[in-house]
Amino acid sequence: MLIGGELVEAASGRRFDNVNPATEEVLGEVADADAQDMRRAIEAARNAFDNSDWSTNGELRKRCLLQLHEAIASEREELRAELVAEVGCPLSTTYGAQLDIPTGEHMLWFADVIDTFAWERELPLGTAFGSRSWRSVTKEPVGVVGAIVPWNFPIEVTLSKILPALAMGNALILKPAPDTPWNATRLGRLVAENTDVPAGIFNVVPSSDHAVGEELVIDRRVDMISFTGSTATGRRIMERAAPGIKRLFLELGGKSAHVVLDDADFASVIPMAAAGACYHGGQVCALNSRLLVPRDRYEEAVELAALGMRAVPYGDPNDMNMIQGPQISSKQRDRVLGYIEQGVKEGARLVVGGGRPADHPKGWYVEPTLFADVTPSMTIAQEEIFGPVLTVIPFEDDADAVRIANATEYGLAGAVTSASQERARAVARGIRTGTISINGGMFYGPDAPFGGYKASGVGRMNGLEGLGEYLETKMLAGPSPET
Ligand code: NAD
């Protein structure tokens, strides 16, 4: 791990295994931090933030982000192989959101914004309580940020926290998910060996124990938690952060809906939409795991979805042709199978898949799975399964589609397809989620805010809104010479 600028083992000397989810083989080990190691990292970050010029030296920060960009590029292929091995993500995903996009030009946006950001804003002279004052709104970093990340897109999520937090002048402690620690420890090493980031400004603390992450939440020396993970853990973090009134940025789960309106070209949209639900084993927060189709074309839609599902290439994540690899762990695999069982029990019709593939005895695979005759209140239509499982739900008209799309506790993403952009936009306006794709439009980018309504989170990553998560606002005023 990286604590206070030093690459170190856990003080206890303990390590834990990193396991390949596609083969169930141990890849190797990583330092296993305990609460004391975490407290040392917090101390280092606090000290570095309070006693270095990092928060005010934009030139240094920009240089460091550019150095990190180059350092990552120099080990990109090792990182690619490592991600496929520890995440089980199909190799093809690493050429997109899993690796190449977040480590490419995306990073430069965060380096450049340091120069262009409106750090100060002058307000007109103000008169209050009989005195005239100049007034200035200034932006300052929040301070020490605890970044807690999941395993599904570890580099992408990690960089989506590190880049804005460091660009805006914060110190950071990164706590990776226990299932995918190596990409984070590699980043730690790259920062230590290849950048001028002052000791203690960036720390990496992996642990097999979730409770070690909670140290960040309860320790008053940490000003903010930037968390991405499940809604259940987000709730727990909110509770534990309450006594310290800690600032929270939470990116949580989703149960997004793809609404296909009756004027859409079903044959070109639905098979792809169904296959898309299996992308990376369905372990994608913004995945459209509900397909909403008009009732009078329901059977046609189910047949097309089945066609798409049966064609999903899944298996060895090293094979460039795959879009689905294994689930991350046997626990996650069993959780997904439990949801499938529940769907059958509640009366949904299993059309495709539903079990463990016989031809993959090793690795934590689940078959691409399609459910029809799903009602909006069923468990499989309400809860985030995080597996390759699609539910097809009928609606009566556009208003009913909006009502069903909104009928879960989540509000992360979604999609609308229609021959009429105008009609699609009207439906999209009714859906209470942070992002919606219309007719296949792509929302993702460093300048595009992403995040959730309702139980999908609080706050946004990326864009100016995302930078704002890592900033405090200070209002300055003084007597005006013009009285
Ligand atoms: P998780 O909530 O189980 O774990 C996420 C991280 O939180 C891990 O690092 C874990 O060690 C840590 N953690 C667990 N308990 C903690 C506690 N009490 N205090 C502090 N830290 C704790 O989530 P996961 O299974 O790793 O990831 C899958 C979830 O992440 C899904 O729900 C998915 O939708 C969500 N996700 C959301 C987004 C988004 O942008 N909204 C992106 C990716 C993943």
Side-chain angles (χ1 to χ4, degrees), residues 45-128:
R46 184 78 258 166
N47 188 37
F49 180 79
D50 291 342
N51 300 308
S52 76
D53 70 345
W54 178 254
S55 64
T56 52
N57 190 341
E59 210 180 297
L60 169 64
R61 300 203 302 273
K62 182 170 183 176
R63 182 168 79 242
C64 289
L65 292 191
L66 294 175
Q67 288 168 331
L68 181 60
H69 177 245
E70 261 185 40
I72 292 175
S74 73
E75 294 190 8
R76 189 188 306 278
E77 295 317 309
E78 290 96 318
L79 186 50
R80 189 184 310 284
E82 191 172 88
L83 281 172
V84 173
E86 71 174 347
V87 181
C89 55
L91 180 60
S92 58
T93 68
T94 68
Y95 292 95
Q98 194 70 257
L99 177 64
D100 283 1
I101 291 177
T103 58
E105 284 187 6
H106 193 114
M107 286 185 75
L108 303 180
W109 188 85
F110 290 95
D112 289 341
V113 84
I114 297 171
D115 290 335
T116 58
F117 191 72
W119 294 97
E120 281 188 21
R121 184 170 97 242
E122 298 305 316
L123 298 185
L125 289 179
T127 307

Side-chain angles (χ1 to χ4, degrees), residues 265-462:
D265 178 0
F266 277 26
S268 71
V269 173
I270 291 182
M272 287 283 280
C278 301
Y279 184 76
H280 187 17
Q283 302 168 119
V284 183
C285 59
L287 192 91
N288 294 316
S289 55
R290 294 181 295 154
L291 183 64
L292 274 50
V293 296
R295 187 180 293 283
D296 54 7
R297 293 184 72 182
Y298 189 72
E299 276 316 315
E300 179 192 352
V302 170
E303 269 174 40
L304 287 167
L307 204 72
M309 274 284 169
R310 290 198 184 98
V312 168
Y314 72 99
D316 180 2
N318 293 292
D319 180 339
M320 189 58 191
N321 296 316
M322 301 300 161
I323 66 160
Q324 178 188 337
Q327 308 312 117
I328 187 70
S329 61
S330 59
K331 187 171 152 224
Q332 280 297 122
R333 189 255 332 262
D334 293 347
R335 189 166 169 272
V336 174
L337 294 174
Y339 273 117
I340 294 172
E341 209 173 290
Q342 184 72 16
V344 171
K345 214 186 286 172
E346 291 180 19
R349 170 164 52 108
L350 192 55
V351 182
V352 179
R356 293 172 60 177
D359 54 348
H360 288 89
K362 273 272 176 212
W364 297 307
Y365 291 94
V366 175
E367 291 174 316
T369 297
L370 180 70
F371 274 112
D373 300 344
V374 179
T375 62
S377 61
M378 284 180 184
T379 307
I380 55 168
Q382 285 292 321
E383 296 186 17
E384 184 184 50
I385 298 174
F386 232 51
V389 182
L390 180 71
T391 59
V392 191
I393 304 173
F395 63 79
E396 306 301 335
D397 53 25
D398 293 12
D400 193 40
V402 170
R403 186 187 61 77
I404 296 170
N406 286 334
T408 78
E409 69 166 339
Y410 295 107
L412 191 56
V416 184
T417 304
S418 167
S420 154
Q421 291 244 18
E422 213 171 295
R423 193 175 159 202
R425 285 183 78 135
V427 169
R429 267 195 295 276
I431 299 175
R432 303 199 65 235
T433 62
T435 42
I436 299 190
S437 157
I438 291 172
N439 291 344
M442 275 291 167
F443 50 75
Y444 186 82
D447 56 350
F450 174 80
Y453 285 28
K454 296 160 43 184
S456 287
V458 180
R460 292 291 178 274
M461 78 173 213
N462 287 343

Side-chain angles (χ1 to χ4, degrees), residues 226-296:
S226 174
F227 171 77
T228 300
S230 63
T231 293
T233 306
R235 282 202 177 93
R236 164 94 184 161
I237 286 176
M238 267 191 148
E239 281 172 24
R240 299 292 280 150
I245 318 285
K246 189 156 296 185
R247 186 169 173 138
L248 298 178
F249 166 38
L250 304 174
E251 294 188 311
L252 309 177
K255 188 74 185 175
S256 301
H258 184 165
V259 178
V260 181
L261 298 179
D262 56 6
D263 60 1
D265 178 0
F266 277 26
S268 71
V269 173
I270 291 182
M272 287 283 280
C278 301
Y279 184 76
H280 187 17
Q283 302 168 119
V284 183
C285 59
L287 192 91
N288 294 316
S289 55
R290 294 181 295 154
L291 183 64
L292 274 50
V293 296
R295 187 180 293 283
D296 54 7

